[in-house]
Amino acid sequence: MASEIVNPRNDLPDTGVDPAFALHRGGKMAIRMTVPLRDADDLSLAYTPGVARVCSAIAEQPELVHDYTWKSQVVAVVTDGSAVLGLGDIGPEASLPVMEGKAVLFKHFGGVDAVPVALDCRDPDELVETIARMAPSFGGINLEDISAPRCFEIERKLQERVSIPVFHDDQHGTAVVTLAALRNAARLTGRSMDSLRVVISGAGAAGVAIAKILLGAGVGDVVVCDRKGVVSADREDLTDVKRELAALTNRAGLTGSLASALDGADVFVGVSGGTVPEPAVAKMASGAFIFAMANPDPEIHPVVAARYASVVATGRSDYPNQINNVLAFPGIFSGALAVRASRITEGMKLAAAEALAAVVADELSPSRVIPSPFDERVAPTVAAAVAEAARAEGVARV
């Protein structure tokens, strides 16, 4: 049957032996039916005239859309292609393999259907308007690979416009997984969160979100550094986002370079790229935690980090303790959709981080402070915690 054909094309150019091209040929996903379509009776139920009765019922009671369409289980994965992985601004078409990949991860790890949407516009207000007009078709919006600082404004304005969850994964997914790993590193070494001084290298989307969630979780002090050094209140070159960040962080009033900020620091979190000199790493506190997450080259090589740190994490799959967003977003959306949440709150993010950390809380070791993405306990545990938090915070509708 035609509905069973996933990739009918055989005329694509030969790409040699590269397995990535072989895997991507024709795309990584397809739409399939969930109802039978065998005869005229099936057709009359799936389409006219039966479908009209369902449409009329939804028109009279709009909330029925969650029960009689796919809305309550589908997410739009939306990008403008301006900050794609480590590739940068490559445009909407070139971003589609990544967006398809994200949709595949949603389905495989969280049981959530997702639709890739690459938009050919860059103005924040145009993006907000476009996405808001699409929102009736979806139960949630996952913003992806949109450059900072535009991403902050887009997420805020869009959430004000729509009554479904809006989640910029580059910010909050990274932050949730980082917090979970930090909680377990602290548990493993017998430290309290309020005793830690964390230095974050990178003041973009991930760095800002990590700083905020760590402070919300009770970390003692957070210092954020950008290319010019510590983001401090005395600097006159700060954007509005960084000015807000400076007011929330750096309680000790540090100034100067990243290297100087690392002197005596308990934790390094890297979301910036570049290389941190080994002498600066050596000045960190004894038994420090190093989360160097730049891909493919961590800011501090794991071999160097292991000389000074008690716990080392990266963004790579070939080293222990991978800080991978797939540990967060499938479960977060699964939980939010299950209760038809109107938004994803800070409390829901904190609950997700605590639940993620709890998955391996009884199995902790220096090489296991965060679960594997393939640990089947992850998404259900995170989803349950997020749903419970949504109810507690009054944003759940069922």
Side-chain angles (χ1 to χ4, degrees):
M1 293 177 61
S3 61
E4 296 174 347
I5 296 175
V6 175
N7 177 20
R9 289 195 59 187
N10 294 308
D11 61 342
L12 297 177
D14 182 12
T15 54
V17 296
D18 189 330
F21 281 93
L23 183 143
H24 282 79
R25 193 178 212 209
K28 298 192 290 285
M29 57 184 293
I31 299 293
R32 71 174 183 85
M33 301 185 304
T34 61
V35 297
L37 200 59
R38 300 161 298 198
D39 51 33
D41 288 340
D42 288 343
L43 184 60
S44 71
L45 292 174
Y47 203 55
T48 187
V51 71
R53 299 197 295 275
V54 179
C55 292
S56 297
I58 294 171
E60 293 178 6
Q61 300 180 58
E63 283 302 307
L64 292 179
V65 70
H66 295 282
D67 298 295
Y68 293 107
T69 73
W70 76 340
K71 180 181 174 75
S72 64
Q73 59 194 25
V74 66
V75 170
V77 181
V78 183
T79 189
D80 64 355
S82 60
V84 181
L85 292 177
L87 302 173
D89 186 351
I90 60 175
E93 287 88 354
S95 76
L96 270 175
V98 177
M99 301 309 113
E100 285 185 7
K102 198 80 171 193
V104 168
L105 298 180
F106 263 111
K107 186 64 173 179
H108 181 78
F109 290 104
V112 174
D113 290 305
V115 177
V117 180
L119 298 177
D120 187 14
C121 57
R122 292 298 175 86
D123 178 77
D125 289 332
E126 287 186 11
L127 281 165
V128 169
E129 184 68 22
T130 303
I131 300 167
R133 289 182 181 274
M134 296 191 307
S137 296
F138 302 100
I141 305 292
N142 184 90
L143 299 176
E144 191 74 21
D145 293 349
I146 297 174
S147 62
R150 298 157 56 252
C151 59
F152 304 112
E153 177 187 0
I154 291 166
E155 183 186 43
R156 176 181 57 79
K157 287 184 174 180
L158 184 57
Q159 187 64 84
E160 291 171 355
R161 285 280 303 273
V162 302
S163 59
I164 58 174
V166 177
F167 187 83
H168 185 210
D169 187 50
D170 301 313
Q171 293 184 60
H172 310 300
T174 307
V176 165
V177 182
T178 301
L179 173 57
L182 184 59
R183 280 197 181 282
N184 276 343
R187 286 171 179 152
L188 177 65
T189 57
R191 303 186 202 187
S192 62
M193 297 288 280
D194 62 6
S195 72
L196 300 176
R197 180 165 70 85
V198 178
V199 175
I200 300 173
S201 175
V208 171
I210 291 169
K212 290 182 177 179
I213 201 170
L214 294 187
L215 291 172
V219 166
D221 192 16
V222 176
V223 178
V224 181
C225 298
D226 62 10
R227 291 183 179 87
K228 297 183 179 180
V230 174
V231 175
S232 56
D234 64 325
R235 281 177 48 180
E236 297 181 355
D237 61 341
L238 301 180
T239 64
D240 290 343
V241 171
K242 291 181 182 180
R243 194 173 298 110
E244 177 191 2
L245 196 60
L248 296 172
T249 61
N250 192 20
R251 294 174 185 169
L254 300 180
T255 59
S257 66
L258 169 66
S260 65
L262 282 175
D263 194 352
D266 301 290
V267 184
F268 169 82
V269 174
V271 283
S272 64
T275 301
V276 178
E278 185 170 351
V281 180
K283 292 184 178 181
M284 293 182 69
S286 177
F289 310 146
I290 292 177
F291 297 174
M293 298 187 284
N295 267 317
D297 300 313
E299 295 88 348
I300 302 171
H301 193 280
V303 172
V304 174
R307 295 174 189 152
Y308 306 99
S310 60
V311 176
V312 177
T314 72
R316 292 175 49 149
S317 59
D318 54 347
Y319 289 100
N321 297 323
Q322 184 189 18
I323 307 294
N324 190 329
N325 289 16
V326 78
L327 291 165
F329 68 82
I332 289 173
F333 268 102
S334 179
L337 292 175
V339 297
R340 300 178 189 172
S342 60
R343 63 189 301 117
I344 294 173
T345 65
E346 293 304 312
M348 292 162 72
K349 297 170 200 171
L350 290 170
E354 186 60 47
L356 179 57
V359 170
V360 292
D362 296 328
E363 310 162 17
L364 295 180
S365 72
S367 61
R368 189 170 175 76
V369 296
I370 200 75
S372 161
F374 294 97
D375 190 321
E376 295 182 354
R377 299 171 294 176
V378 168
T381 301
V382 172
V386 167
E388 182 179 352
R391 293 189 180 101
E393 300 213 334
V395 297
R397 286 180 280 208
V398 294

